[in-house]
Amino acid sequence: MASVGGKSFLDNLGKIYLMYTGGFIFFVIALAIAEQMGMSNKMIGYTYMFITIGLYAVIGISSRTAKISEYYVAGRSVPALFNGMATGSDWMSAASFIGMAGTIYGLGYDGLAYIMGWTGGYVLLAVFLGPYLRKFGQYTIPDFLGARYGGHAARWIGILAAITASFTYLIAQVTGVGIIMGRFLGLDFATGVFVGLGGILVCSMLGGMKAVTWTQVAQYIILIIAYLVPPVVMSQKVTGVPIPEIMYGQVLQKIDAKEKAINADPKEQQVMALWKEEAAKMDAKIKGLPATLDEGKKALDDKLAALPADAPAKDREAIQKSIKDYPQTPEAAKEKWTETKKKYEASSKPLKPYLQPFARLDMKNMLALTFCLMVGTAGLPHILMRYYTVPSVKEARISVGWSLFFIFLLYFTAPAYAAFARNEVLNNIIGLPIAQLPAWMANWGKVGLVTFKDINADGILQFYELTIGADAIVLAMPEIAGLPYVISGLVAAGGLAAALSTADGLLLTISNALSHDLYYKIVNPQASILRRLTISRTLLVIVALIAAYVATFKLTIIVELVAWAFSIAAASFFPALVMGIWDKRANKAGALAGMWAGFSICLFYMIGSRFYGVSWWGIKTISSGLFGIPLGFIVIYVVSRMTAPPSQELQEFVESVRIPKGASRAHAEH
Amino acid sequence: MAKELKNLDRDRLRQYWNYNKKLTGMTLAIWFVVTYVAIFFSPQLDSIVILGFPLGYYMGAQGSLIIFVILIFNYAFKMNKADIDYGVEEEEE
């Protein structure tokens, strides 16, 4: 293993990873047998974590390198297919793996905006950026902005945008690692975060991009196996054919039929009416502010005081928790209660059909969201960076195809995942007596992912009495399908692989922006190779620690910030990169103005629509990039034409980027 | 930086770039139709049901994705061939 990334390793890649895949499957089977022989769930969880993180660490450590080109771009020796797998796991985060199917479960057709948006972006990447960046052949994305637009100003904006977009995203991954560790190993959140952090750092610190690449390939294999097993079994169970992607068509029809039956059921209508009353009560409470705030607080205090001394500790803790969570100010109360009211109101209306387009998101917003996600995907620096690592322009083109293919395997299964889950809930859970609900509901109820309340007190579960968290769909599927715990552990290991691989790529992007672009290119261009690598490794550790520290606060805004990062990347990076290649006339003044304009208008709309009620054509905050992206292009075009054209040298640079000839020469680096 | 541009016929270069632009344009046109036009007409497409899938839903969940993958590979193979046809391919090491 000492020669990971060496010549004999590269010549035998296929064989090595096939053996690895076989070995992993053998390991899962061995664990399954051990489970039958009485191995405990907790032991299974620990074995998975120990073995998989151990594997990543071995790959990471044996890829250590002291060469700049290996550290930053894996020696540009990654074949198209394997770069595709690495990009796949670099791209698919904890949110894709755990949250995507749940989002579709909740949003129905409208949730497909994420499926199309996060895949269609690769078409843009393939034709606008990937091959040209490979021809350019440097180390980072700010490198390209710096070279194309001359001087440090463009590089500075590049550094800033790369760090903002990647850092928020990184925190979300670290949080994901903490949650998975917590649920499956019973570690507390902070410990989980720091154990995961160790896993991230041993992969990237010694070998940089080279180590991250070969670890990501290994992580892709685990995550895709883990994702596909539960729906395949579920499909076999429900339809008799183990191909969920084809068979869920008939399941969709069952969902549709059952939804109609639910809306016609008098018991369900009774529940809806009850939620309507609850919503009205909440409304009165909001209108009665601030008096109702004190009343509520007093009621809770009285309840605590009235609790008999021998009451179970659990009851006492529950009341204390409600007091702690109780809103402090009338403003906070208004926000919290309005949200609750909206939730109640949603439960008081007939079920919207799962298959019906634009039932939850209007057409305008669905189109806007799909577009912003696509452009955001094509503008994310940690993904673009991966196309520096292939040997040639030719391979870069093919590699984008493989990237999307490997991502596609997961994304086209996600709607099937969602459909099987929804079918199970609608047709097998709803209508059951509360006392006979399956065990998985209680298991996931403990962590708050599944909750139910028998609001009409008839002892039977109605649709609107049940709330399922988005993350529960993927995490609980093995139990829903009646699979042994070894598969639940596999899914957790897959989620962990997804989170770790994305975190690795992001961490490297941030530390490279600081060590390569900021330190080497701007501060100290004379720095020795050893010094550059030392600084990069030190920064990696520092950035990782900061990310973990921020993650331990569990800020709820993080999920939202990730969506913002997409729009920021889309509005600031994408126009400048594309115009840099496609418009010879684009110059420094145009690019700077365009990047600032795209970035500012995007930020303005995000903050304005989220907090101050700004609304242009009713576009939601998540699609803020819709305004920034075209503005960026227009400003670059117009300002460039109002100012002096770029120098002859720069124009020739653009021409040279447009043709593959000469790319191999980029190999002559240390 | 622009060493590779020497000894190249400017007309051939322009033709190569025009070919690229045409291929890019066609790729993006299909990309646009299978996502945005398909979303727009989704309610109408849904009246066609194949294997239980309403067509509008299917396009969003699978159809457009399959076409994206094909589009990218098609672009890659055509461009890799064009490199040779127009004499701008990379040197083998």
Side-chain angles (χ1 to χ4, degrees):
Chain A
M1 283 299 278
S3 62
V4 169
K7 194 180 176 313
S8 70
F9 173 80
L10 291 173
D11 287 344
N12 294 301
L13 272 175
K15 226 189 283 171
I16 290 169
Y17 279 104
L18 261 180
M19 271 165 55
Y20 162 84
T21 310
F24 182 72
I25 293 172
F26 180 77
F27 159 72
V28 174
I29 294 173
L31 261 189
I33 296 170
E35 184 183 4
Q36 296 311 314
M37 289 164 65
M39 192 173 185
S40 74
N41 288 358
K42 198 160 187 175
M43 254 336 269
I44 293 177
Y46 271 103
T47 313
Y48 266 118
M49 298 306 147
F50 185 74
I51 295 286
T52 56
I53 294 186
L55 259 173
Y56 309 148
V58 168
I59 300 176
I61 291 166
S62 47
S63 313
R64 63 188 175 278
T65 180
K67 288 186 188 151
I68 285 283
S69 77
E70 289 195 341
Y71 186 87
Y72 283 119
V73 288
R76 302 195 206 278
S77 59
V78 186
L81 179 104
F82 290 93
N83 189 52
M85 279 196 214
T87 311
S89 60
D90 197 26
W91 169 242
M92 289 184 284
S93 56
S96 291
F97 190 94
I98 300 174
M100 172 88 83
T103 304
I104 300 169
Y105 172 95
L107 290 176
Y109 174 84
D110 303 344
L112 299 178
Y114 292 94
I115 297 278
M116 287 183 280
W118 283 339
T119 53
Y122 281 85
V123 177
L124 297 178
L125 203 160
V127 298
F128 282 139
L129 297 170
Y132 309 105
L133 286 175
R134 173 58 193 87
K135 172 59 198 298
F136 170 61
Q138 290 292 320
Y139 301 123
T140 66
I141 300 307
D143 262 342
F144 179 79
L145 294 172
R148 171 62 178 85
Y149 296 117
H152 290 326
R155 189 186 290 272
W156 267 109
I157 302 183
I159 295 172
L160 199 71
I163 292 177
T164 344
S166 304
F167 192 72
T168 44
Y169 212 170
L170 176 62
I171 294 168
Q173 301 313 311
V174 175
T175 308
V177 171
I179 290 173
I180 294 171
M181 291 280 196
R183 280 199 194 129
F184 282 88
L185 303 186
L187 298 176
D188 71 73
F189 184 76
T191 316
V193 162
F194 282 96
V195 170
L197 198 68
I200 297 169
L201 282 177
V202 321
C203 296
S204 48
M205 207 175 92
L206 297 174
M209 192 58 157
K210 180 181 162 198
V212 167
T213 302
W214 300 118
T215 317
Q216 281 175 337
V217 174
Q219 286 163 331
Y220 177 80
I221 293 168
I222 291 181
L223 84 84
I224 200 69
I225 294 176
Y227 200 81
L228 295 179
V229 169
V232 165
V233 174
M234 195 71 185
S235 175
Q236 168 72 34
K237 227 179 92 176
V238 175
T239 68
V241 181
I243 309 171
E245 296 85 355
I246 296 176
M247 300 315 292
Y248 81 96
Q250 36 175 285
V251 172
L252 289 176
Q253 295 301 323
K254 282 191 209 165
I255 292 173
D256 202 44
K258 180 70 181 191
E259 283 172 340
K260 288 193 180 106
I262 285 178
N263 283 337
D265 182 350
K267 287 240 163 177
E268 295 282 357
Q269 286 162 355
Q270 184 194 6
V271 169
M272 291 174 206
L274 285 168
W275 281 121
K276 200 167 184 174
E277 283 170 26
E278 291 292 319
K281 272 186 220 159
M282 210 26 109
D283 192 49
K285 254 173 92 175
I286 294 168
K287 290 215 174 88
L289 277 171
T292 43
L293 184 70
D294 299 332
E295 284 165 23
K297 178 84 173 53
K298 192 168 174 304
L300 278 175
D301 288 338
D302 290 349
K303 206 166 147 194
L304 187 65
L307 208 64
D310 58 345
K314 214 174 74 188
D315 295 0
R316 189 172 296 274
E317 277 162 22
I319 301 175
Q320 277 164 345
K321 191 170 178 303
S322 341
I323 294 179
K324 207 175 133 234
D325 294 344
Y326 197 75
Q328 303 280 340
T329 61
E331 290 76 34
K334 193 174 172 196
E335 195 179 324
K336 195 173 172 189
W337 292 350
T338 310
E339 210 165 281
T340 316
K341 190 185 97 178
K342 274 191 196 145
K343 216 166 77 191
Y344 291 166
E345 274 172 353
S347 302
S348 71
K349 290 177 193 134
L351 197 52
K352 288 173 183 163
Y354 185 71
L355 290 171
Q356 184 190 315
F358 322 128
R360 295 158 185 86
L361 199 65
D362 56 42
M363 185 203 281
K364 192 173 54 195
N365 268 300
M366 172 130 184
L367 290 167
L369 178 59
T370 311
F371 179 71
C372 288
L373 293 176
M374 282 190 182
V375 179
T377 302
L380 283 180
H382 72 287
I383 297 299
L384 291 172
M385 187 170 82
R386 288 233 51 99
Y387 297 97
Y388 282 133
T389 68
V390 291
S392 65
V393 176
K394 228 161 53 186
E395 298 251 341
R397 292 191 186 119
I398 300 282
S399 187
V400 186
W402 283 122
S403 304
L404 184 57
F405 173 76
F406 289 119
I407 292 164
F408 160 82
L409 286 183
L410 188 144
Y411 278 33
F412 97 128
T413 309
Y417 224 122
F420 280 108
R422 195 164 175 95
N423 178 53
E424 180 69 21
V425 168
L426 288 180
N427 283 312
N428 295 337
I429 307 287
I430 301 298
L432 279 184
I434 304 271
Q436 292 172 24
L437 292 177
W440 64 266
M441 292 182 66
N443 290 344
W444 291 97
K446 276 183 224 144
V447 289
L449 278 176
V450 176
T451 51
F452 48 87
K453 181 180 180 189
D454 190 10
I455 189 171
N456 64 347
D458 65 348
I460 289 174
L461 188 71
Q462 269 87 28
F463 182 78
Y464 279 130
E465 291 176 346
L466 174 68
T467 316
I468 295 189
D471 291 352
I473 302 301
V474 165
L475 293 176
M477 183 60 109
E479 287 166 69
I480 297 177
L483 289 165
Y485 190 80
V486 67
I487 302 299
S488 299
L490 176 66
V491 169
L496 192 66
L500 289 177
S501 57
T502 308
D504 276 335
L506 291 165
L507 196 54
L508 208 55
T509 306
I510 299 170
S511 86
N512 290 357
L514 292 170
S515 69
H516 176 79
D517 292 302
L518 187 62
Y519 178 74
Y520 176 59
K521 290 287 182 175
I522 297 179
V523 178
N524 180 11
Q526 271 83 44
S528 67
I529 292 174
L530 183 69
R531 192 171 173 83
R532 285 161 69 189
L533 286 179
T534 312
I535 288 197
S536 190
R537 286 177 178 144
T538 315
L539 279 167
L540 216 55
V541 178
I542 294 172
V543 173
L545 286 174
I546 296 174
Y549 178 70
V550 176
T552 52
F553 291 110
K554 292 206 212 178
L555 302 170
T556 44
I557 192 93
I558 291 299
V559 182
E560 233 172 305
L561 285 180
V562 170
W564 292 25
F566 261 82
S567 277
I568 287 182
S572 55
F573 262 132
F574 189 75
L577 288 173
V578 171
M579 292 296 263
I581 294 159
W582 288 78
D583 182 16
K584 232 190 283 182
R585 186 65 177 74
N587 61 16
K588 183 177 173 180
L592 293 181
M595 282 196 269
W596 277 122
F599 178 81
S600 325
I601 204 75
C602 182
L603 201 65
F604 168 81
Y605 193 76
M606 276 172 183
I607 295 173
S609 63
R610 174 67 176 79
F611 299 106
Y612 302 102
V614 175
S615 175
W616 296 343
W617 301 297
I619 293 296
K620 290 183 193 271
T621 309
I622 192 171
S623 310
S624 296
L626 186 69
F627 308 108
I629 299 161
L631 187 75
F633 276 105
I634 293 169
V635 170
I636 295 177
Y637 187 90
V638 172
V639 174
S640 294
R641 272 154 187 77
M642 281 160 44
T643 45
S647 67
Q648 186 61 31
E649 201 186 338
L650 273 179
Q651 301 208 20
E652 276 183 21
F653 165 77
V654 177
E655 279 189 25
S656 77
V657 165
R658 289 176 176 184
I659 56 166
K661 202 178 177 70
S664 311
R665 259 180 251 150
H667 271 290
E669 42 198 358
H670 11 249
Chain B
M1 191 65 203
K3 271 173 292 180
E4 59 262 42
L5 292 175
K6 283 180 192 150
N7 313 323
L8 281 176
D9 180 355
R10 307 298 288 181
D11 282 341
R12 287 292 275 169
L13 274 186
R14 199 168 306 120
Q15 284 166 11
Y16 170 74
W17 191 245
N18 284 339
Y19 173 80
N20 183 12
K21 279 200 276 195
K22 213 174 86 190
L23 187 60
T24 301
M26 271 164 49
T27 306
L28 289 177
I30 300 174
W31 165 84
F32 183 82
V33 169
V34 299
T35 32
Y36 301 100
V37 177
I39 293 175
F40 191 85
F41 288 109
S42 185
Q44 287 78 16
L45 291 173
D46 277 349
S47 57
I48 305 168
V49 178
I50 304 162
L51 287 173
F53 293 101
L55 188 56
Y57 186 91
Y58 185 79
M59 281 309 291
Q62 288 186 6
S64 58
L65 275 66
I66 295 171
I67 295 169
F68 295 154
V69 175
I70 297 172
L71 275 179
I72 297 178
F73 276 116
N74 175 62
Y75 173 82
F77 286 124
K78 286 216 168 116
M79 281 309 288
N80 285 350
K81 184 169 171 295
D83 290 349
I84 300 168
D85 292 348
Y86 291 88
V88 292
E89 78 274 22
E90 291 149 275
E91 305 80 351
E92 295 296 326
E93 277 169 272

